Amino acid sequence: QVQLVESGGGLVQDGGSLRLSCAASGGTFSRYAMGWFRQAPGKEREFVAAISANGGSTSYTDSVKGRFTISSAKNTVSLQMNSLKSEDTAVYYCAARYGLGVTTARNSYNYWGQGTQVTVSS
């Protein structure tokens, strides 16, 4: 069973930066594609970014392209967030799925972290 633990959330001013990290354990990391999702109050959980199991391919939702960067190491996946906006405020979740390719669909992911709060103040 894969366990995911997010860290790095917090409060940042409009235009600032944060780096989220997700530590994975309990599985063979190289066989899992990873993703980041976020959920704001009153809204559905939405896709943010994903990376293939070998780190060779990435995908981003349009609203974060050019501002966010997803990356992975042996047992971690990170999300570098720059030029943050108030609309980025949400709980951010790390997710994993047993598979090699990137996937944007929420229900394709098998494992989820507990979430970390990101708040952007204007």
Side-chain angles (χ1 to χ4, degrees):
Q1 186 174 355
V2 175
Q3 295 174 262
L4 305 173
V5 180
E6 301 99 333
S7 62
L11 175 65
V12 66
Q13 194 171 18
D14 186 28
S17 299
L18 282 174
R19 185 177 181 86
L20 306 182
S21 295
C22 174
S25 62
T28 303
F29 188 73
S30 62
R31 291 186 170 89
Y32 290 81
M34 306 293 293
W36 287 96
F37 291 75
R38 66 187 181 188
Q39 186 168 23
K43 295 186 177 181
E44 296 182 6
R45 191 171 301 184
E46 66 173 350
F47 169 77
V48 177
I51 189 166
S52 59
N54 66 1
S57 298
T58 60
S59 181
Y60 301 90
T61 191
D62 287 344
S63 64
V64 308
K65 288 180 179 177
R67 301 189 297 121
F68 291 11
T69 303
I70 189 171
S71 61
S72 63
K74 287 186 178 180
N75 64 340
T76 61
V77 60
S78 300
L79 186 69
Q80 178 66 45
M81 305 185 293
N82 298 326
S83 301
L84 284 162
K85 308 172 182 179
S86 60
E87 64 192 53
D88 295 317
T89 295
V91 176
Y92 283 70
Y93 296 90
C94 177
R97 59 174 288 267
Y98 189 78
L100 302 181
V102 295
T103 302
T104 63
R106 183 179 61 191
N107 61 4
S108 296
Y109 289 82
N110 308 111
Y111 306 98
W112 296 85
Q114 81 287 352
T116 185
Q117 177 71 48
V118 172
T119 303
V120 184
S121 62
S122 60

